[in-house]
């Protein structure tokens, strides 16, 4: 395969409602799509980060520079670029997993399209539809939270994740359990908002029968997570802390997590994400697919991954309408609490040109064009 052109398409798409977490509030999906044109086919991907480095160190403007100056030149210089060669070609560049994932995914999309193979088939998917969970932001009041959760359950979502932070944890969890019952699959995500000194406080969550608590402590504190896990009954799940199959294996070996959130972008792409799935599965550790409020371009490949056999918990793979009044692809819709796994070639979706044009802020060629 020969790469003829790499283009970034910056988009800004309003969210249907503000999304507040322990690290900030988002009101717009403000990111870029990566568009790769090869001699065989075209491919698309979505950069998963935000304009500000609040969830992770990467951010939109920085990622464009890293792609332009360090990642794209190494990949286009390969005699015959393929997705499997992207990781080795960029391994000398430290970090920047989200930017690497965007490049690998767009190339993988183009490559699979040229073979007429779906990403789901390529990764080894065993399901045609996957159960949908939904991530619920921090609200102004418990009453507002209960209304929001009620609305999502009425739509059919099968699992609820509550964002928590100090001051918004026990009370909202207690209220959701009291209103919707003990059978509701319920979990929480702290996005690193606590420290090990909060152990006794976090142990109070044990009585609510949560599926898991996600990333309670600092992202570079695997030892702390292991200490916490030894003192609480709720399973610890890691998100921000895990960047590769190797550190996932380390975290599992030290009992720093009993569940794994796999976000392909956070680990450098779908090939590493599949390796994490394999490592976790070999240890009997359940995994689920996280999200980054993606448009349809980022959601489609996540659904393919979530169809692998080790994904035994519902993911943050919600319908397009949970995020956007209008998505830039054909919308993903909830059907009986599930989303359909795309089965067409590559990621199985592409931007709707007219909609993409309306949401486009800026286009820039990084190579060729
Ligand atoms: O920690 O899982 C997270 C969104 C942006 C950044 C980090 C996270 C999230 C979510 C939302 O929880 C998941 C989604 O619905 O896409
Ligand atoms: Mg998380």
């Amino acid at each position: 395969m020969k790469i003829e052109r790499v283009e970034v398409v910056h988009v800004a798409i309003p969210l249907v409602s503000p999304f507040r977490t322990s690290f900030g509030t988002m009101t717009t999906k403000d990111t870029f799509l990566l568009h790769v044109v090869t001699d065989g086919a075209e491919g698309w991907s979505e950069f998963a980060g935000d304009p500000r480095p609040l969830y992770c160190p990467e951010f939109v403007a920085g990622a464009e520079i890293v792609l332009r100056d360090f990642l794209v030149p190494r990949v286009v210089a390969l005699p015959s670029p393929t997705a499997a060669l992207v990781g080795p070609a960029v391994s000398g560049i430290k970090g920047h997993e989200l930017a690497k994932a965007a490049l690998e995914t767009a190339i993988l999309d183009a490559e699979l399209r040229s073979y007429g193979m779906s990403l789901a088939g390529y990764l080894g998917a065993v399901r045609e539809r996957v159960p949908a969970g939904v991530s619920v932001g921090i609200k102004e009041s418990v009453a507002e939270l209960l209304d929001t959760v009620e609305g999502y359950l009425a739509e059919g979502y099968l699992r609820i994740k509550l964002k928590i932070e100090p001051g918004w944890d026990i009370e909202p969890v207690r209220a959701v359990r009291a209103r919707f019952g003990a059978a509701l699959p319920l979990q929480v995500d702290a996005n690193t908002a606590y420290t090990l000194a909060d152990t006794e406080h976090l142990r109070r969550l044990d009585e609510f029968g949560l599926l898991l608590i996600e990333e309670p402590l600092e992202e570079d504190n695997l030892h702390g997570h292991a200490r916490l896990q030894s003192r609480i009954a709720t399973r610890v799940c890691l998100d921000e802390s895990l960047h590769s199959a190797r550190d996932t294996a380390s975290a599992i070996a030290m009992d720093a997590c009993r569940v794994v959130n796999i976000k392909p972008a956070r680990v450098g792409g779908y090939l590493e994400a599949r390796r994490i799935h394999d490592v976790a599965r070999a240890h009997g550790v359940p995994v689920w697919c996280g999200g980054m409020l993606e448009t349809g371009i980022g959601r489609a490949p996540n659904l393919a991954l979530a169809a692998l056999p080790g994904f035994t918990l519902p993911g943050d793979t919600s319908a397009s309408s949970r995020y956007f009044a209008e998505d830039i692809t054909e919308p993903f819709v909830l059907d009986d609490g599930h989303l359909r796994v795309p089965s067409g070639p590559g990621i199985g979706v592409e931007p709707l040109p007219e909609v993409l044009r309306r949401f486009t802020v800026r286009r820039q060629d990084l190579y060729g064009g």
Side-chain angles (χ1 to χ4, degrees):
M1 207 163 75
K2 184 180 176 331
I3 294 176
E4 293 169 352
R5 182 177 177 208
V6 180
E7 180 193 29
V8 289
V9 182
H10 286 266
V11 294
I13 312 170
L15 295 177
V16 289
S17 57
F19 184 63
R20 180 172 155 211
T21 69
S22 62
F23 60 81
T25 302
M26 280 180 67
T27 56
T28 313
K29 184 68 202 181
D30 188 341
T31 188
F32 60 82
L33 306 183
L34 204 62
H35 178 210
V36 170
V37 180
T38 76
D39 54 353
E42 300 188 13
W44 288 91
S45 68
E46 175 174 339
F47 177 68
D50 299 322
R52 297 173 295 169
L54 302 180
Y55 162 77
C56 69
E58 292 181 77
F59 59 103
V60 171
E64 182 173 349
I65 294 173
V66 167
L67 280 158
R68 183 192 69 198
D69 294 351
F70 304 117
L71 305 182
V72 170
R74 281 167 170 75
V75 171
V76 299
L78 293 168
S80 183
T82 62
L85 296 176
V86 171
V90 301
S91 66
I93 302 299
K94 299 281 165 57
H96 297 285
E97 288 84 4
L98 274 65
K100 290 174 179 175
L103 184 56
E104 183 191 88
T105 304
I107 291 172
L108 184 56
D109 183 31
E111 191 179 333
L112 292 173
R113 279 176 198 272
S114 75
Y115 308 149
M117 182 187 284
S118 71
L119 178 62
Y122 173 77
L123 292 174
V126 295
R127 285 185 273 269
E128 288 172 0
R129 54 181 218 150
V130 294
V134 59
S135 176
V136 184
I138 295 167
K139 302 293 177 186
E140 290 296 317
S141 67
V142 168
E144 187 189 349
L145 176 70
L146 293 176
D147 284 350
T148 305
V149 171
E150 181 170 45
Y152 287 140
L153 293 177
E155 285 182 59
Y157 285 103
L158 297 170
R159 182 227 67 188
I160 298 292
K161 163 168 136 181
L162 303 182
K163 290 294 193 176
I164 60 168
E165 65 182 3
W168 181 267
D169 43 31
I170 312 293
E171 194 196 352
V173 169
R174 185 188 304 283
V176 167
R177 270 284 178 246
R179 170 80 164 269
F180 303 103
L184 172 69
L186 182 66
Q187 63 193 56
V188 294
D189 185 1
N191 290 110
T192 76
Y194 298 87
T195 73
L196 202 52
D198 297 311
T199 299
E200 290 308 309
H201 181 72
L202 292 173
R203 193 165 39 191
R204 294 176 58 201
L205 290 169
D206 283 351
E207 67 172 286
F208 301 109
L210 300 176
L211 288 168
L212 57 91
I213 178 170
E214 184 180 348
E215 201 69 29
L217 311 180
E218 306 86 349
E219 78 161 87
D220 55 356
N221 195 356
L222 284 187
H223 181 65
H225 280 103
R227 301 258 309 248
L228 177 68
Q229 183 67 91
S230 73
R231 290 164 167 79
I232 65 175
T234 308
R235 291 183 293 186
V236 171
C237 170
L238 292 176
D239 174 0
E240 285 89 330
S241 293
L242 302 179
H243 302 281
S244 67
R246 187 189 295 115
D247 56 30
T248 303
S250 301
I252 291 171
M254 61 200 278
D255 199 22
C257 68
R258 293 181 182 172
V259 183
V260 173
N261 169 336
I262 304 186
K263 278 183 190 166
R266 199 193 64 225
V267 303
Y270 289 85
L271 304 186
E272 189 70 5
R274 184 174 55 184
R275 288 190 277 271
I276 294 181
H277 161 273
D278 295 349
V279 161
R281 193 154 183 249
H283 287 276
V285 170
V287 304
W288 55 281
C289 184
M292 295 287 283
L293 313 178
E294 291 91 349
T295 75
I297 293 295
R299 189 162 310 283
N302 281 349
L303 290 168
L305 182 72
L308 267 61
F311 285 76
T312 53
L313 291 169
D316 285 343
T317 41
S318 312
S320 294
S321 63
R322 181 257 173 265
Y323 311 94
F324 312 110
E326 189 178 23
D327 204 336
I328 57 175
T329 60
E330 289 295 337
F332 285 94
V333 294
L334 211 53
D335 176 13
D336 189 26
H338 291 68
L339 293 184
R340 201 147 40 77
V341 177
S343 56
I347 65 171
V349 301
E350 40 207 277
L352 299 168
E354 187 274 328
V355 183
L356 179 61
R357 207 172 306 122
R358 268 190 286 120
F359 288 121
T360 296
V361 176
R362 179 171 69 85
R363 303 177 83 115
Q364 179 73 50
D365 283 320
L366 299 185
Y367 175 77

